[in-house]
Amino acid sequence: MAGMIDKQDVEKVRAAADLYDIVSSSVTLKPSGTGTFVGLCPFHDEKTPSFNVRPSLGVWHCFGCGQGGDVFAYVQQRENVDFREAVELLADRYRIELHYAQGGSERVEGQGSKRTRLLDANEEAQRFFVEQLSGDDAAAARSMLSGRNFSREDCGRFGCGYAPRGWDNLVRHLAQKGFTHKELIDAGLARQGQRGIYDYFRGRVTWPIRDSTGRTLGFGARRLYDDDVIEAKYINTPDTILYRKTQVLYGLDLAKRSIVRKRQAVIVEGYTDVMACHLAGVDTAVATCGTAFGAEHAKIVRRLISDDSLGAVQLVGPHKVDGQQLSSRIVFTFDGDAAGQKAAVHAFGLDSAFLSQTFVAVAQDNLDPCDLRIRQGDEAVRSLVETAKPLYDFVIDTAIERFDMGYTAGQMGAVKAVAPLIAQIRDKSLLDIYTRKVTRRIGVDLDLMRDEVGSARRRMRIIADDAYASPRRGEPAGRGAGVREEVDERVERGRIQRRDAAEQSYHRIDDAVFICEQQFMAVVIQQPDAIDPEAFSQLTLMNFITPVFRSLFQAIAAAGGLPAGGVPQGLWMHEISKAAGPLLQPVVDELAVMPLPLPRTAEGDGGATSADSGPSAAERRYASELMVRLMDLGYMRRIGAAKRRMAQLGSDSPQGIGLLGDIAGLEKARRELRDQIFGNAL
């Protein structure tokens, strides 16, 4: 195995990597202050955006879950790889050759990071499947696709292919391309049998399952022949380090832009349904891959349709979208049969904020979107989405419609059937509304319905939630059904401790000294060139009183002080983070993305800021003001200490007279420093 990656190559990758581009491939980012962007955190479920990105510094931080770091840390967390693999992934993306200790480059055939090799194997397999679709053996595949009203151009657009019926056609093809048997097994393209390695997909139509950036992670495949030993109509790539069925959505690479723009996502049940929707003009359609829609899928969708256009007020529920006829929504195209209704009820397990925007679309005769397009055309598919009903209403109405309300027994039957459904509405804001709404429709007393719903809620141990409440800063949102209703001793102790801290009157965290030190450290990290090096060299621990900033000042000193001119921002952040260590790393990350009270500048999609062209006059002026305050505080503390010492010794004593001279010198130094710094800033 090759040794460590050359440090110079690591810095080349760091300088080339565009953090905005990498993060925005899976998170919708919006400008928030000069050079800072915010979005929903990809590492925990939340309703209100608390994930901050500062591209010019190459740093990110989430105020919800506390995670943060540089571009390598983001790739490590996102792709579940170690540091070395993160560097290699980014090097591949930006076409940077890496060199390793103990001689030579690793960029030779058959080598490279494991994840990159598996991605390459999948891409080559996709090319192979597409080529096979035009062969003589693929007549059944072409017939199946054309029978669903898909032309050759349509198949090319969605990457449809054909896995031949042979034993190891793909294995032999990929082996010729330099891939090992282990790599093919690890990618889910092959399996080990008694007679050797063989193709996992055989005799089936294939679809590539890609991430939002278009990288092929796995495949879905449909059965064509009666003698297929695998009876399942559809099979998917087994879980690998690339592919997790609970974390992928087919068609996301095609639908992402439209989902973000329209704030709408349509969830269908199959690959052909995604194709039919897109061809009919519903370009926000995606599908799960061999599993029910779950919480991980909901996170992906919410990050794309999120909207914080009112600033601190997070919009929850369907709301109007500029330029769009439909409100923001997530539409499920369940079947109207028992299985579809069961799937709709299953969706109740998702969190309240997601469900408040969730709708259900059911076609007449229970047709799926693909069959609907075949029988009634594109307009019918578009109409299906436009006439969708809110999820809660769909499930409740389906239960009520089974009963004849003309009879008292029918009314009571409806109450008993619908009460457990209403009870599952965790959002306390909507629970009472739906209870009243159903009561009026069935025609029974409100107290009766409330008793039935309350009884079902207690029996099912439903935990109340409020989709419309903004979580407190630092508290992850969407905790879900895994949180116990009972408050244990540890939680109660923490609650009392926080209350004690909040109610005391002798120390406030937002005092002027803390603010000054915090702002200064933020400027040091975000724009060190704005700091006067000569003045900075005069700072000591005496200039800081907040323990965390005293420690951070020591870390900066350990890193060599302010960076020399021309040092890239990303490298400066790396050096500070390394010197700060794991305990101070979250502090560095927070300060790096913290908005500064400076005039807004023009912001592009990539977040180009003044950091790219040196500090602005406003930044230099602000840094100078903070420096003066810090130096003043330092001098004041030294003067105060000298006066206390003088009082103890007596002002007439020789030592006291000497201290009096020191005090006069400190006062003069304060004035000279202020004049010097302001003069340099002009």
Side-chain angles (χ1 to χ4, degrees), residues 13 264 349 378 407 648:
V13 175
Q264 175 196 106
D378 293 346
Y407 300 94
Q648 294 174 348

Side-chain angles (χ1 to χ4, degrees), residues 291-558:
T291 185
F293 190 92
E296 292 299 319
H297 298 123
K299 290 181 185 179
I300 296 172
V301 173
R302 183 188 296 132
R303 286 197 298 269
L304 296 176
I305 69 169
S306 66
D307 185 9
D308 60 345
S309 57
L310 295 184
V313 181
Q314 174 66 13
L315 300 178
V316 179
H319 53 273
K320 295 180 180 179
V321 180
D322 292 341
Q324 300 298 324
Q325 180 180 357
L326 296 179
S327 61
S328 64
R329 60 184 57 192
I330 299 98
V331 181
F332 287 91
T333 59
F334 294 129
D335 292 334
D337 57 15
Q341 293 169 22
K342 182 178 180 181
V345 172
H346 171 76
F348 268 78
L350 301 173
D351 72 87
S352 300
F354 185 84
L355 294 182
S356 69
Q357 292 180 290
T358 301
F359 289 66
V360 174
V362 178
Q364 293 182 350
D365 301 325
N366 296 334
L367 297 175
D368 60 36
C370 186
D371 288 332
L372 182 64
R373 178 173 178 262
I374 293 172
R375 296 191 189 183
Q376 301 181 29
D378 293 346
E379 179 58 36
V381 177
R382 293 192 293 269
S383 178
L384 174 67
V385 175
E386 293 169 359
T387 57
K389 294 176 61 175
L391 173 67
Y392 291 138
D393 296 78
F394 171 78
V395 175
I396 292 171
D397 290 348
T398 301
I400 293 176
E401 287 168 0
R402 297 177 181 177
F403 297 90
D404 187 343
M405 301 304 166
Y407 300 94
T408 302
Q411 289 177 307
M412 198 61 210
V415 169
K416 293 291 186 180
V418 80
L421 298 175
I422 299 176
Q424 293 181 62
I425 301 176
R426 298 201 307 275
D427 191 303
K428 58 188 180 183
S429 305
L430 296 176
L431 180 66
D432 186 62
I433 293 176
Y434 273 98
T435 301
R436 291 174 180 274
K437 185 176 181 179
V438 170
T439 298
R440 290 192 297 269
R441 179 170 178 185
I442 298 176
V444 295
D445 185 73
L446 178 59
D447 289 338
L448 172 64
M449 180 59 72
R450 280 177 169 168
D451 288 344
E452 290 291 336
V453 170
S455 177
R457 201 169 177 84
R458 289 189 296 273
R459 184 172 64 252
M460 300 166 72
R461 297 184 178 180
I462 303 298
I463 301 171
D465 191 10
D466 188 353
Y468 298 85
S470 298
R472 292 187 298 272
R473 180 165 172 166
E475 176 183 321
R479 291 171 291 177
V483 181
R484 295 181 304 171
E485 192 168 14
E486 300 83 4
V487 179
D488 60 22
E489 180 181 354
R490 181 167 54 85
V491 174
E492 177 66 10
R493 182 170 64 247
R495 185 187 67 80
I496 295 174
Q497 291 171 340
R498 288 191 298 273
R499 185 194 64 191
D500 292 344
E503 293 180 354
Q504 52 80 28
S505 60
Y506 44 82
H507 180 72
R508 295 299 181 192
I509 200 64
D510 60 347
D511 61 67
V513 173
F514 175 86
I515 291 174
C516 177
E517 294 179 5
Q518 180 191 48
Q519 292 287 305
F520 180 78
M521 284 302 183
V523 172
V524 170
I525 289 174
Q526 295 183 25
Q527 190 54 274
D529 290 345
I531 304 292
D532 182 351
E534 183 178 347
F536 185 84
S537 66
Q538 299 179 44
L539 293 178
T540 68
L541 282 180
M542 183 67 77
N543 295 99
F544 300 92
I545 193 172
T546 307
V548 67
F549 297 136
R550 290 171 64 88
S551 299
L552 187 54
F553 179 76
Q554 291 175 310
I556 294 171

Side-chain angles (χ1 to χ4, degrees), residues 5 9 12 34 53 69 72 91 99 189 196 209 256 266 279 321 355 372 391 417 430 470 480 509 552 563-564 598 630:
I5 302 173
D9 289 345
K12 287 180 183 178
T34 302
V53 179
F72 299 127
H99 299 84
L189 296 170
I209 301 171
K256 177 191 169 185
V266 177
L279 294 172
V321 180
L355 294 182
L372 182 64
L391 173 67
L430 296 176
S470 298
I509 200 64
L552 187 54
L598 295 168
L630 282 179

Side-chain angles (χ1 to χ4, degrees), residues 23-40:
V23 174
S24 63
S25 66
S26 57
V27 179
T28 300
L29 296 176
K30 296 183 178 181
S32 175
T34 302
T36 302
F37 297 83
V38 298
L40 291 177

Side-chain angles (χ1 to χ4, degrees), residues 516 520 524 531-539 543 562 621-633 673 677:
C516 177
F520 180 78
V524 170
I531 304 292
D532 182 351
E534 183 178 347
F536 185 84
S537 66
Q538 299 179 44
L539 293 178
N543 295 99
L562 295 177
R621 197 158 43 244
Y622 187 53
S624 296
E625 293 173 4
L626 294 171
M627 178 68 77
V628 169
R629 294 177 195 170
L630 282 179
M631 296 300 289
D632 269 348
L633 289 170
L673 176 66
I677 293 179

